Amino acid sequence: MQSYTIGQAARLLGVSPDTARRWADAGRITTHRDEAGRRVIDGRDLAAFSAGLARSGAAEEDTPYTSARNAFPGIVTAIKLGDVAAQVEIQAGPHRLVSLLTREAVEELGLEVGMEATARVKSTNVHIDRV
């Protein structure tokens, strides 16, 4: 499972590293130390926290979140696989994006909940890039 540093988590959540650090210090999100001694967050824990944060609207209001060339870097929060089709949900800061794609595409990308990914929006289509 992928883990994220406090700085990486902050970027994915659309907040400052100081805010993410305060949330970790307050126990709002669980961290552990990696082999280098850095505090890291498990990808599944970050995905759950990210989705909960978006539902509660608790992100910092003064933190701008912009999309460069319609790219939304975030974290995979849910995957629903059917026989042929799949639904992938990404939380990108305050934005929740859902993409419908083939099951084969999800498997080829190796997408999992807690993994970093970028949603690219073009017209009414959302494309997923594995990071």
Side-chain angles (χ1 to χ4, degrees):
M1 173 48 58
Q2 186 166 348
S3 293
Y4 297 91
T5 64
I6 295 288
Q8 291 170 322
R11 183 177 52 81
L12 293 169
L13 294 169
V15 298
S16 72
D18 286 336
T19 296
R21 210 171 282 110
R22 281 193 303 272
W23 288 343
D25 291 344
R28 290 185 61 189
I29 188 160
T30 304
T31 63
H32 62 277
R33 299 273 178 191
D34 67 5
E35 57 279 349
R38 299 175 300 179
R39 286 198 312 178
V40 294
I41 303 164
D42 179 74
R44 287 190 183 274
D45 291 341
L46 183 59
F49 181 79
S50 177
L53 185 65
R55 281 191 299 274
S56 72
E60 289 183 356
E61 297 299 324
D62 60 345
T63 303
Y65 191 84
T66 62
S67 168
R69 297 185 183 151
N70 300 323
F72 292 84
I75 187 166
V76 177
T77 56
I79 298 174
K80 295 177 185 168
L81 294 174
D83 291 337
V84 176
Q87 178 178 312
V88 176
E89 196 172 300
I90 291 181
Q91 192 69 45
H95 309 289
R96 176 180 166 262
L97 296 112
V98 179
S99 179
L100 300 175
L101 56 163
T102 66
R103 178 185 183 116
E104 181 181 15
V106 171
E107 291 170 349
E108 284 180 6
L109 289 170
L111 295 176
E112 296 178 9
V113 171
M115 176 179 282
E116 187 174 359
T118 300
R120 296 193 187 276
V121 180
K122 180 169 172 43
S123 185
T124 59
N125 298 315
V126 177
H127 302 268
I128 306 294
D129 296 339
R130 179 175 175 181
V131 179

